[in-house]
Amino acid sequence: MLGKRRASLSANLKIGDHRGCCRTPEEEEVYIPFAQDSLIKQWSSMQNVTDRNQEKSRIPILRNKYFLNINVGGKSFQIAYKAAARYPITRIGKLAIYTDPMKKLQLCDDYSVQRNEYFFDRDPSIFHYIFHFYRSGVLWIMDEMCPSHFVEETEYWGIHLKYAQRCCRILFEERQDELSDYLKIQKELEAELEPLDLSTVHFEGKCMGKFRKMVWNLIENPYSSVPAKIIAVMSSFFVLISIVSMTLSTVEEIKHKTGKKWMELLEMICAIFFTSEYLMRLISSSSFQKFLQAAFNAVDLVAILPFYIQILFENLDEADVLYHEELHKMENVSKLGKVLKLIKLMRIFRILKLARHSTGLRAFGFTMRQCYQQVCCLFLFIAMGVFTFSALMHSVEHDIPGTNFTSIPYAWWWAAVSLSTVGYGDSVPNTVLGRIVAFGCISFGIILNGMPISILYNKFSDYYAKLKTHENKTSLSLKISRKIRFKERALRKLSECCGADPRCHH
C-alpha cells in the first residue's frame, strides 16, 4: 500500500510515515499544515478507493474533536484548540477555552449545529493573516492593505500589533500616521469649503428663514444667481478702489482741498458698502457665535472699523481745538493725530477681503495653516543664522576703523540681508576673515531658502486643485439645477396658456 501523502499545498510531498491514520492530538497538530483557505483533506492513492468512504466518515469526527471549525465571510478555516488556547485574550482563544455554549455564541455571529461551525461576518482576506498568526505566532502585515481597515479587524479579533515583526510594525505605523494626517486635512478642507448643501438646513424652522436664506445666497453664494455674482464683483471692485484711494491720499499733489474732498467721499462710499455687506452677513448667519469666530468676518470688521474710529477721533480733535488752547491740550491733540494715522493704516487689511472670492488666496492661507510647523522651523533657522553670523562678523570686524559692525545688534541687519541673498551693500566686511564669514552666511542662506520651497509649493498646488475642483462642481450643479427649473417653468407656462386658450382643446 502506498504511503499516505501529507495534506499540503504541494500534493506530491510524501511523509515517510506508514502508521495508521489515527494520531494523537499533538501529532495531529503537527501533521496538519497551514493553508490559507482551509485545511486540505488527506489524500490517498487511487488503489485505496474502497477505504476512502471510511476515511470520509472518520476524519470530520476526529477534526471536530481537536479543531475549531470557523467560517469567516463564506470561507472555512480550521484552527487547533491547543493553538488557539495559547492566546486566551483573543476572540478565537476565548472560543477555544470557554465551555459555556452561551458565552461561545456571544463571540460569533452565528453557529451551525450540523457542521459544528462558528460563523463570523468579517473580511476573509484579513482573516488569512489572523489564521496564520495562530499557526505561526507572527502577525504579518502587507503593504497593500488599508491601515484603518486592518486595525479595525485586528481589534475585533483581539490581536495586538505587538505580535507583528518590528520592521513591519514600524512601516505600518508610518502609513497609519500618513493616513490619519490625510484624513485630518481632508476634514479641514471640507470645513474650509463650507458646502452649500447645508445652507437649507441652517434656516429651517428659524425666524424669517426664507428671507435670511435669500440674503445668505445673495452674499455667500455667488453661483446662486446673477445678482449674487454682481455683488461678489462689486465687493472685489470696492476693495481695490479703497486700496487705490488710500494710496493716492499720501501723494502730495492730491493733498489739496479738492483732491482730499474726493478721496474722503470715495472712502465714505466704500465704507458704506462694506458696512452694508457686513450687516447682511450678520443677518443671514445661522449662529451669532460662529459668525464672530469666523476669520473672514473678523477681516470684514477690521475693514470698516477705521472709518468710524477716524470720525470719532476727528470730532474729539475739533472739540479740543475749540475749547482748550492750552499747551498740554495741544500735545494731546498731536497724540490723537498719531493714533489717527495708525488707525488709517489699518485700512490696508481690506485687501484680505479678496480672499473671500479668490481661490488662490484661500489655498495660500490654508497652506500656511497646515505647514505652520515647517514655517516656524524655517524662522528658527533664520534666527540661528542671524545670531551666529552676526557674532562672527563682529568678532573679526569690530577692531577695523570706520566699521559698521560696532556691536552684535548692529550686525543683525547685515546678517538678515545676507541670509535672504538680497545684499543691499550698505554694510560690507573689510577683512579677509570678514569676507569668509560673509561667504558662509550667503551659502547658508541659499541652502536655507531652498529647503521649504518644494514642500510648500507641492501642498499649495494640491490644496488649490482641490478647492478649484469643488468650486467647479458647485457651479456646474447650480447651472444644471437652474436649467431644469427653467424647463419646468417653461412647460408650466405653456400648459397654462394651452389650458386658458379654448382653441388648444380642438
Side-chain angles (χ1 to χ4, degrees), residues 313-332:
F313 272 76
E314 286 178 351
N315 292 332
L316 291 176
D317 193 355
E318 292 177 0
D320 285 339
V321 172
L322 290 174
Y323 300 105
H324 303 283
E325 297 293 340
E326 293 86 357
L327 180 61
H328 65 281
K329 292 298 181 180
M330 295 301 295
E331 292 177 355
N332 292 336

mmCIF file of all heavy atoms in Angstrom, residues 313-332:
data_model
loop_
_atom_site.group_PDB
_atom_site.id
_atom_site.type_symbol
_atom_site.label_atom_id
_atom_site.label_comp_id
_atom_site.label_asym_id
_atom_site.label_seq_id
_atom_site.Cartn_x
_atom_site.Cartn_y
_atom_site.Cartn_z
ATOM 1 N N PHE A 313 -12.460 110.210 16.307
ATOM 2 C CA PHE A 313 -11.265 110.928 16.723
ATOM 3 C C PHE A 313 -11.227 112.342 16.131
ATOM 4 O O PHE A 313 -10.734 113.276 16.770
ATOM 5 C CB PHE A 313 -10.013 110.147 16.309
ATOM 6 C CG PHE A 313 -9.585 109.134 17.337
ATOM 7 C CD1 PHE A 313 -10.274 107.943 17.489
ATOM 8 C CD2 PHE A 313 -8.502 109.373 18.159
ATOM 9 C CE1 PHE A 313 -9.890 107.005 18.427
ATOM 10 C CE2 PHE A 313 -8.108 108.444 19.102
ATOM 11 C CZ PHE A 313 -8.806 107.259 19.244
ATOM 12 N N GLU A 314 -11.712 112.496 14.911
ATOM 13 C CA GLU A 314 -11.737 113.831 14.320
ATOM 14 C C GLU A 314 -12.679 114.754 15.082
ATOM 15 O O GLU A 314 -12.396 115.946 15.271
ATOM 16 C CB GLU A 314 -12.143 113.743 12.855
ATOM 17 C CG GLU A 314 -11.038 113.202 11.956
ATOM 18 C CD GLU A 314 -11.496 113.075 10.518
ATOM 19 O OE1 GLU A 314 -12.717 113.251 10.275
ATOM 20 O OE2 GLU A 314 -10.646 112.785 9.647
ATOM 21 N N ASN A 315 -13.795 114.240 15.566
ATOM 22 C CA ASN A 315 -14.706 115.042 16.375
ATOM 23 C C ASN A 315 -14.074 115.425 17.710
ATOM 24 O O ASN A 315 -14.221 116.563 18.180
ATOM 25 C CB ASN A 315 -16.012 114.290 16.612
ATOM 26 C CG ASN A 315 -16.818 114.122 15.332
ATOM 27 O OD1 ASN A 315 -16.714 114.952 14.416
ATOM 28 N ND2 ASN A 315 -17.602 113.071 15.255
ATOM 29 N N LEU A 316 -13.363 114.491 18.315
ATOM 30 C CA LEU A 316 -12.654 114.817 19.556
ATOM 31 C C LEU A 316 -11.571 115.857 19.314
ATOM 32 O O LEU A 316 -11.332 116.734 20.135
ATOM 33 C CB LEU A 316 -12.044 113.527 20.145
ATOM 34 C CG LEU A 316 -13.043 112.498 20.707
ATOM 35 C CD1 LEU A 316 -12.294 111.248 21.146
ATOM 36 C CD2 LEU A 316 -13.847 113.081 21.867
ATOM 37 N N ASP A 317 -10.902 115.736 18.171
ATOM 38 C CA ASP A 317 -9.840 116.679 17.814
ATOM 39 C C ASP A 317 -10.406 118.092 17.682
ATOM 40 O O ASP A 317 -9.858 119.068 18.203
ATOM 41 C CB ASP A 317 -9.197 116.225 16.499
ATOM 42 C CG ASP A 317 -7.894 116.976 16.233
ATOM 43 O OD1 ASP A 317 -7.568 117.888 17.012
ATOM 44 O OD2 ASP A 317 -7.211 116.633 15.247
ATOM 45 N N GLU A 318 -11.536 118.241 17.006
ATOM 46 C CA GLU A 318 -12.149 119.561 16.835
ATOM 47 C C GLU A 318 -12.609 120.140 18.171
ATOM 48 O O GLU A 318 -12.474 121.334 18.436
ATOM 49 C CB GLU A 318 -13.328 119.447 15.873
ATOM 50 C CG GLU A 318 -12.911 119.136 14.442
ATOM 51 C CD GLU A 318 -14.113 118.953 13.540
ATOM 52 O OE1 GLU A 318 -15.260 119.082 14.055
ATOM 53 O OE2 GLU A 318 -13.914 118.681 12.344
ATOM 54 N N ALA A 319 -13.139 119.292 19.045
ATOM 55 C CA ALA A 319 -13.595 119.783 20.351
ATOM 56 C C ALA A 319 -12.425 120.304 21.179
ATOM 57 O O ALA A 319 -12.525 121.345 21.838
ATOM 58 C CB ALA A 319 -14.317 118.667 21.096
ATOM 59 N N ASP A 320 -11.309 119.619 21.128
ATOM 60 C CA ASP A 320 -10.135 120.066 21.881
ATOM 61 C C ASP A 320 -9.605 121.384 21.338
ATOM 62 O O ASP A 320 -9.179 122.263 22.092
ATOM 63 C CB ASP A 320 -9.038 119.002 21.829
ATOM 64 C CG ASP A 320 -9.369 117.825 22.740
ATOM 65 O OD1 ASP A 320 -10.184 118.014 23.657
ATOM 66 O OD2 ASP A 320 -8.821 116.727 22.520
ATOM 67 N N VAL A 321 -9.599 121.579 20.046
ATOM 68 C CA VAL A 321 -9.078 122.807 19.452
ATOM 69 C C VAL A 321 -9.997 123.992 19.771
ATOM 70 O O VAL A 321 -9.552 125.121 20.002
ATOM 71 C CB VAL A 321 -8.896 122.631 17.933
ATOM 72 C CG1 VAL A 321 -8.552 123.957 17.279
ATOM 73 C CG2 VAL A 321 -7.808 121.605 17.663
ATOM 74 N N LEU A 322 -11.320 123.743 19.811
ATOM 75 C CA LEU A 322 -12.258 124.849 20.038
ATOM 76 C C LEU A 322 -12.278 125.311 21.494
ATOM 77 O O LEU A 322 -12.361 126.512 21.767
ATOM 78 C CB LEU A 322 -13.670 124.423 19.612
ATOM 79 C CG LEU A 322 -13.884 124.252 18.093
ATOM 80 C CD1 LEU A 322 -15.273 123.687 17.813
ATOM 81 C CD2 LEU A 322 -13.712 125.596 17.378
ATOM 82 N N TYR A 323 -12.233 124.385 22.413
ATOM 83 C CA TYR A 323 -12.462 124.736 23.812
ATOM 84 C C TYR A 323 -11.204 124.743 24.680
ATOM 85 O O TYR A 323 -11.248 125.233 25.810
ATOM 86 C CB TYR A 323 -13.483 123.770 24.426
ATOM 87 C CG TYR A 323 -14.824 123.807 23.729
ATOM 88 C CD1 TYR A 323 -15.200 122.778 22.880
ATOM 89 C CD2 TYR A 323 -15.687 124.884 23.901
ATOM 90 C CE1 TYR A 323 -16.431 122.807 22.227
ATOM 91 C CE2 TYR A 323 -16.911 124.921 23.251
ATOM 92 C CZ TYR A 323 -17.274 123.888 22.421
ATOM 93 O OH TYR A 323 -18.478 123.919 21.767
ATOM 94 N N HIS A 324 -10.124 124.185 24.211
ATOM 95 C CA HIS A 324 -8.907 124.102 25.029
ATOM 96 C C HIS A 324 -7.724 124.502 24.167
ATOM 97 O O HIS A 324 -7.361 123.765 23.254
ATOM 98 C CB HIS A 324 -8.709 122.675 25.575
ATOM 99 C CG HIS A 324 -9.870 122.187 26.380
ATOM 100 N ND1 HIS A 324 -10.113 122.580 27.674
ATOM 101 C CD2 HIS A 324 -10.879 121.342 26.047
ATOM 102 C CE1 HIS A 324 -11.209 121.987 28.120
ATOM 103 N NE2 HIS A 324 -11.697 121.238 27.136
ATOM 104 N N GLU A 325 -7.125 125.624 24.464
ATOM 105 C CA GLU A 325 -5.986 126.105 23.697
ATOM 106 C C GLU A 325 -4.692 125.998 24.494
ATOM 107 O O GLU A 325 -3.663 126.497 24.058
ATOM 108 C CB GLU A 325 -6.206 127.581 23.305
ATOM 109 C CG GLU A 325 -7.390 127.820 22.404
ATOM 110 C CD GLU A 325 -7.188 127.219 21.030
ATOM 111 O OE1 GLU A 325 -6.013 126.970 20.659
ATOM 112 O OE2 GLU A 325 -8.189 126.959 20.336
ATOM 113 N N GLU A 326 -4.764 125.379 25.645
ATOM 114 C CA GLU A 326 -3.558 125.251 26.455
ATOM 115 C C GLU A 326 -2.561 124.345 25.780
ATOM 116 O O GLU A 326 -2.893 123.539 24.908
ATOM 117 C CB GLU A 326 -3.906 124.716 27.841
ATOM 118 C CG GLU A 326 -4.727 125.679 28.691
ATOM 119 C CD GLU A 326 -6.206 125.524 28.406
ATOM 120 O OE1 GLU A 326 -6.533 124.705 27.512
ATOM 121 O OE2 GLU A 326 -7.024 126.218 29.047
ATOM 122 N N LEU A 327 -1.327 124.435 26.240
ATOM 123 C CA LEU A 327 -0.228 123.687 25.618
ATOM 124 C C LEU A 327 -0.391 122.183 25.802
ATOM 125 O O LEU A 327 -0.184 121.404 24.875
ATOM 126 C CB LEU A 327 1.105 124.150 26.212
ATOM 127 C CG LEU A 327 2.371 123.469 25.674
ATOM 128 C CD1 LEU A 327 2.488 123.733 24.165
ATOM 129 C CD2 LEU A 327 3.604 123.948 26.412
ATOM 130 N N HIS A 328 -0.785 121.750 27.022
ATOM 131 C CA HIS A 328 -0.899 120.302 27.240
ATOM 132 C C HIS A 328 -2.070 119.710 26.445
ATOM 133 O O HIS A 328 -2.036 118.555 26.053
ATOM 134 C CB HIS A 328 -1.057 119.999 28.731
ATOM 135 C CG HIS A 328 -2.328 120.522 29.322
ATOM 136 N ND1 HIS A 328 -2.505 121.846 29.681
ATOM 137 C CD2 HIS A 328 -3.497 119.889 29.620
ATOM 138 C CE1 HIS A 328 -3.715 122.026 30.183
ATOM 139 N NE2 HIS A 328 -4.349 120.847 30.153
ATOM 140 N N LYS A 329 -3.093 120.535 26.182
ATOM 141 C CA LYS A 329 -4.175 120.040 25.350
ATOM 142 C C LYS A 329 -3.736 119.888 23.903
ATOM 143 O O LYS A 329 -4.148 118.981 23.201
ATOM 144 C CB LYS A 329 -5.374 120.981 25.431
ATOM 145 C CG LYS A 329 -6.052 120.998 26.798
ATOM 146 C CD LYS A 329 -6.612 119.647 27.151
ATOM 147 C CE LYS A 329 -7.310 119.654 28.512
ATOM 148 N NZ LYS A 329 -7.848 118.336 28.858
ATOM 149 N N MET A 330 -2.891 120.774 23.443
ATOM 150 C CA MET A 330 -2.363 120.651 22.083
ATOM 151 C C MET A 330 -1.487 119.419 21.953
ATOM 152 O O MET A 330 -1.442 118.770 20.906
ATOM 153 C CB MET A 330 -1.585 121.921 21.724
ATOM 154 C CG MET A 330 -2.457 123.186 21.642
ATOM 155 S SD MET A 330 -3.767 123.047 20.417
ATOM 156 C CE MET A 330 -2.783 122.936 18.934
ATOM 157 N N GLU A 331 -0.778 119.072 23.035
ATOM 158 C CA GLU A 331 0.012 117.834 22.999
ATOM 159 C C GLU A 331 -0.900 116.617 22.881
ATOM 160 O O GLU A 331 -0.599 115.655 22.166
ATOM 161 C CB GLU A 331 0.865 117.748 24.255
ATOM 162 C CG GLU A 331 1.974 118.789 24.322
ATOM 163 C CD GLU A 331 2.748 118.717 25.634
ATOM 164 O OE1 GLU A 331 2.333 117.907 26.491
ATOM 165 O OE2 GLU A 331 3.728 119.448 25.775
ATOM 166 N N ASN A 332 -2.043 116.671 23.573
ATOM 167 C CA ASN A 332 -2.996 115.563 23.441
ATOM 168 C C ASN A 332 -3.538 115.466 22.023
ATOM 169 O O ASN A 332 -3.771 114.371 21.497
ATOM 170 C CB ASN A 332 -4.151 115.756 24.425
ATOM 171 C CG ASN A 332 -3.707 115.590 25.869
ATOM 172 O OD1 ASN A 332 -2.711 114.927 26.129
ATOM 173 N ND2 ASN A 332 -4.439 116.211 26.800
#
